[in-house]
Amino acid sequence: RLKDKKNGFHGHGKTFMKNRLFANALIASGVEENHSVNIIGFNSPEWLISYYGTLMANMITSGVYTTNGPEAC
């Protein structure tokens, strides 16, 4: 279960649906399968949703630290 500051806890079903929505948004945006998606941010429900959504869309996740410069992206 994920804890969201605004809405409390998310169950597995709600989290799965958000992951799938993110995956569909990547596909609709034109990101192709097996391409890399950079994810930047702190540990949060949104980071986890974007991570699993990227995997569900058959894409590669790349975590980026907030201290990285533009050349790392």
Side-chain angles (χ1 to χ4, degrees):
R1 293 174 23 166
L2 293 176
K3 179 156 178 152
D4 186 344
K5 291 178 184 174
K6 295 178 191 171
N7 304 315
F9 285 100
H10 291 211
H12 296 292
K14 188 172 184 180
T15 301
F16 180 84
M17 286 182 6
K18 288 188 173 199
N19 296 344
R20 177 51 68 195
L21 282 171
F22 188 84
N24 289 340
L26 287 173
I27 294 166
S29 296
V31 182
E32 297 179 20
E33 284 189 19
N34 299 317
H35 281 198
S36 181
V37 175
N38 290 338
I39 302 172
I40 188 168
F42 300 99
N43 292 337
S44 66
E46 294 81 10
W47 192 96
L48 198 60
I49 289 165
S50 63
Y51 174 78
Y52 283 114
T54 301
L55 295 178
M56 291 174 88
N58 199 27
M59 297 171 189
I60 302 163
T61 60
S62 301
V64 179
Y65 291 104
T66 56
T67 55
N68 287 131
E71 66 279 353
C73 299

